[in-house]
Every structure is written in C-alpha cells, then in structure tokens.
Amino acid sequence: MGKNTSIYLDYNATTPTDPRVLDYMLPYYKDKFGNAASFHHKFGQEAKKAVEDSRKILASELNGKIREIVFTSGATESINLAIKGLCGKIGRKKNHIITQTTEHKAVLDTCNAMKNKGWEVTMLPVDPEGFVNPDDVLASLKNETILVAIMHANNEIGTVQPITDIGHICREHGIYFLVDAAQSFGKLSIDVQKMNIDLLAASAHKIYGPKGIGILYVNQKNPRISLQLQIDGGSHERGFRSGTLPVPLIAGFGEAVRIAEEDRDVENEHLLHLRDKLIDEIKAAHPDVELNGSRKKRLTNNVNICFPGVDAETLIMKMKSVACSTGSACSSANLEPSHVLKAIGQRNEMAHSAIRFSLGRFTTEDEIDRAIEIINKTVTAIKKTSPRHKLLSV
Ligand SMILES: *Cc1c(COP(=O)(O)O)cnc(C)c1O
C-alpha cells in the first residue's frame, strides 16, 4: 500500500472478507445456487452439502455436535434468540437473569427487553481491568435464576473473561450459560464441553467472513435446550430458526473458520508483536497515557488507550489516514461516554479521551510504524493547542 492510503485499525468493528473466503463463496452465487431445502435435485443437494460441510467445521471449532449449530444472521440475532427464546420457553417461574456491565448492547438491550416484560436482571460489576469475579456470579444466584450471560472477550477493551470458572459454577447449579463469543470465536480456542457453555453466539464478519451470517450454538445434551422460535416459518434449522439458508454466506463462514483455525498461532503471535509495539511506542512518547483493560488477558489485536487532556473525537478527525474508533463502533455516533469505560471506573473526561485501535490479519509492521508516527505527532500537536491540557498539566 502507498504512503497516502488509510491504515485500517478497526478490525474489532469488522474485518474485510478474506479473498480466499470470497473465492470459496462465489460458486454458490453462480452455478451452485440451489436452495438447501430442495432435496429432490442436484442443485439443492449441492447447496445442502455446502451448508453441512460448514456446520461440521463450526461444530468442530467449538468441540460441539453438528446438530448443535444453528445458523442466524449474526451474533445480535443469536443473542436475541438465546435470551428471548430461553425465557420464552421456560416461562416466568424462573425469571432471573445474571449478566454484567461491559456486555455488548446486543446482550444489554435484550436483557432490558426481558426486564420490561417482568424478568429480574442482575448487572454484575467489573474490576478496573474489566474482569467479572466468578465469586460474584456465585453470590448472585437465586432459585429463580435461569440464565447467566457473560461475554468471552470484550469488543472495546479486549478483556478476556474467566469463562471456564463461570461455566463451572453455572453447571454445578443447573443454570444455563450463554457466552457472546463474537470477538473470540476463531481467535481463541473454545471448547463448549470443557467450558460448560450451553449457548454461544458468534459472527463471521469479525473473522474475515462475510457480513450477515452468524451462529448460535445450542447444547443438545445434558442439558438439552429448547428455545421458543423467534421467527415463524418453515421450521428450518431443526425448528430453531426459520428462513431459507444463505448458502454462500454459510459456506464462507465455514471457510473463514477453517483458515482462522489453521493460521491461529502464527497470526496471534504476529498480532501480539504489533499490538505491544503500538502500546509501547505510544507510551514512550506520551507517558501519561493509560491502557484500558488488562495487558495480559487481552485479545491479541486490541489496543484501547486514554490520552489525558485530549478529546478523542478531535484526535480521530485530525488523523484522517488512521481508521480507528472511540469506544465501540456502535456508540461512535452518540456523545455519551462508553458504558465499558464507565464500568471500569474511568471518569467522563478520561472516557472522552479514549481511542480503540484494533489490528488484524492484513495489518503490516510498516502500517504500525506509520500509525505510531501519526498518532504521536497528532497527540503532541493537540496538547500544544489544547487549553484543557494546559490546565491539566499545571
Ligand atoms: C460485533 C459484536 C456483536 C454483534 O455481532 P453482529 O454479528 O454484528 O450482530 C455482538 N457482541 C460483540 C462482543 C461484538 O463484538
């Protein structure tokens, strides 16, 4: 890439579709365009095979069973199906849900929707690095608790939650455990059996697959989970989710996961090196910056930094060639500081100075070197002119 091209550092928002994935998808738009439910002819059978090949890869990635994978339009839909579907099925006799403050809006808003219908929702706090304490989960269990929903990796600050410990507690007490794995699926290894996960949401577009396809993993053995249908129709996906399957997207999702699995170790090592270089070089130039989240138990591609006295919006506007975001992509449009940064105890002023840089498969060392130079220069320039910063530094 040339000197003037933009540097994409927003991989936690979405990723480009890997060219290998796109190549794999194309035949399913052209010659192999059949409906996977048309079992009488070759077109349908080819489509069905592509769907089942993909389902097998996804199941194996999670150490789940093939029949436990339900295709949806993305993690948001999967989370809605999991929470509303489970509560709808079980009913009001078990009307207590436990979740935590730094979840994605897909979980928070769905829990709120249940709250409006009369369910009780416990919001667990997190520590200053964004971790949920498993003891808090244990302490908040009640006879009425139906579900614990805790994300695997946070989309804003990259914190990786103690999922195994929480899963163990849930299983011991016979409570369903939902994990939003949109940021970790394909990047970290996940074993639904070892981790005692009953429901898990993931999405293709965060791991170099196409947009508009996701899965919900639904445990079918000890316990076997049934969900109330959220979309009525032809009872596709074993009755969990109706609608004609988007075969090219499903094929692409499988291929994306196959590649992610194959390249995982090399890719994580590459990302870790670039991520740490970015953090260290910004810190070296501006020792007052604060890294949000944990340095150790963190996604290898996530950097989230507060630049005290610097307005993040201004910084982003001035760094036109670095594509990054303030807080999460979803809250970029509103002026409320990020709920995640608030939850880890950052004051409003600090939260408004936070920027997320997220790296990915196609990020090069040269891009990181250029980004470091641009970021450091721009921060210096803003500090020189900002009356807010002058006030802070006297
Ligand atoms: C992106 C994301 C989602 C939403 O996924 P979609 O597939 O875009 O609906 C949910 N949770 C987390 C943590 C995410 O990063």
Side-chain angles (χ1 to χ4, degrees), residues 1-57:
M1 281 195 229
K3 268 255 167 208
N4 298 318
T5 47
S6 287
I7 303 164
Y8 186 75
L9 294 180
D10 210 7
Y11 282 84
N12 285 155
T14 194
T15 60
T17 304
D18 190 300
R20 292 170 286 180
V21 170
L22 193 57
D23 283 345
Y24 192 85
M25 291 167 63
L26 285 176
Y28 299 100
Y29 282 111
K30 295 175 179 170
D31 307 329
K32 302 182 179 180
F33 59 85
N35 186 324
S38 309
F39 55 88
H40 286 301
H41 52 68
K42 165 182 153 270
F43 298 90
Q45 289 153 10
E46 272 170 353
K48 170 86 172 161
K49 179 169 188 316
V51 169
E52 296 316 316
D53 286 350
S54 171
R55 202 188 301 276
K56 196 170 170 186
I57 294 170

Side-chain angles (χ1 to χ4, degrees), residues 12-14 72-79 102-107 151-156 180-184 187 201-206 210-215 330 356:
N12 285 155
T14 194
T72 66
S73 64
T76 301
E77 186 192 326
S78 298
I79 290 162
T102 70
E103 291 292 311
H104 190 275
K105 292 284 180 193
V107 169
M151 71 199 321
H152 194 186
N154 187 272
N155 48 302
E156 292 191 37
D180 173 359
Q183 290 292 344
S184 60
K187 298 178 197 163
S203 188
H205 78 92
K206 301 276 171 71
K211 291 174 182 59
I213 186 74
I215 51 161
C330 316
R356 178 185 74 183

